[in-house]
Each structure stands twice: as C-alpha cells, then as structure tokens.
Amino acid sequence: MQIRDRPPVGGITRLALKGRLDPTTVGELDAWIGRVIAVGAKKVLLDLEELEYVSSAGLRVLLQAAKKIGVAGGRLLLCEPQRSVKQVLDIAGFSSMMAVFDTEAEALEQEGER
C-alpha cells in the first residue's frame, strides 16, 4: 500500500491510500495516523479512491484510528471508496460509525462547516 500526504485544506489533514489495506500494510497506516495525531491534527481525511481492498485487519486499524483521533478531540473521515471497499465498510457497519463521503469535495464542504 502507498500512503501519500496531500496538502491540508481548511485544517483537515489529508492522506490518500493506494493498493491494499491488509495485515501486511496496516502497521504503516497506523504509524502515519500516530504521526499526524502527534503533530496536532484534529480532522484526518483518508481518500480511498485508489484503495482496492480492505481486510478485517484493515477495518480494525481504521476503527483504532477513529478512536485515537476521537480521544485527541478530532474526527476521522473517509471519502471516495471504491464500490467493493464501500460494500465492506457498509457490511461491517462502519458507515454508521464514522463519516464516509462519496466525494472529497462533499467531505471538505461538510467538515469545513463544523
């Protein structure tokens, strides 16, 4: 999996994920999330447009990230999941536990108002 930092927008830290979020790559995402929290990020937007697959281990790290960011007074946002990833998020109940947006623009607009 590749993780790309993208320029923040309106105080929202943005990361783009590409590839597979599975047992071999979850540590990398967990480390990135730890770093952005350590520098004070309150809102973190994960762009999932190029994320092809998420395993149960990937779901677990997303949930842990949402909790860590929440404890720090922030919020984890997900945007642009591919259909297969969106189905996994829906089946696992993530769509009701965290903000999942169809587009990045929608996420930035809604969260910028908070």
Side-chain angles (χ1 to χ4, degrees):
M1 180 181 66
Q2 296 174 341
I3 303 173
R4 285 189 335 264
D5 273 316
R6 296 177 57 208
V9 173
I12 300 173
T13 300
R14 300 183 310 149
L15 302 173
L17 307 183
K18 181 178 181 178
R20 299 172 58 89
L21 184 55
D22 59 27
T24 62
T25 61
V26 293
E28 185 179 353
L29 180 58
D30 190 45
W32 278 72
I33 294 295
R35 284 194 293 274
V36 298
I37 292 170
V39 298
K42 295 297 181 197
K43 292 183 182 176
V44 178
L45 176 63
L46 298 181
D47 179 343
L48 307 180
E49 183 178 15
E50 295 184 78
L51 187 68
E52 301 163 359
Y53 173 81
V54 61
S55 71
S56 59
L59 291 174
R60 188 170 39 259
V61 80
L62 290 174
L63 184 58
Q64 290 170 343
K67 287 180 180 180
K68 287 177 187 176
I69 293 168
V71 166
R75 183 169 150 113
L76 177 67
L77 315 165
L78 308 176
C79 74
E80 303 208 26
Q82 293 185 18
R83 185 187 316 181
S84 60
V85 171
K86 176 83 164 94
Q87 288 174 336
V88 170
L89 294 172
D90 290 344
I91 290 168
F94 277 54
S95 299
S96 63
M97 292 188 292
M98 60 184 71
V100 181
F101 298 94
D102 291 333
T103 67
E104 182 180 57
E106 182 184 353
L108 293 173
E109 180 181 324
Q110 185 170 331
E111 288 303 310
E113 295 171 1
R114 288 182 175 235

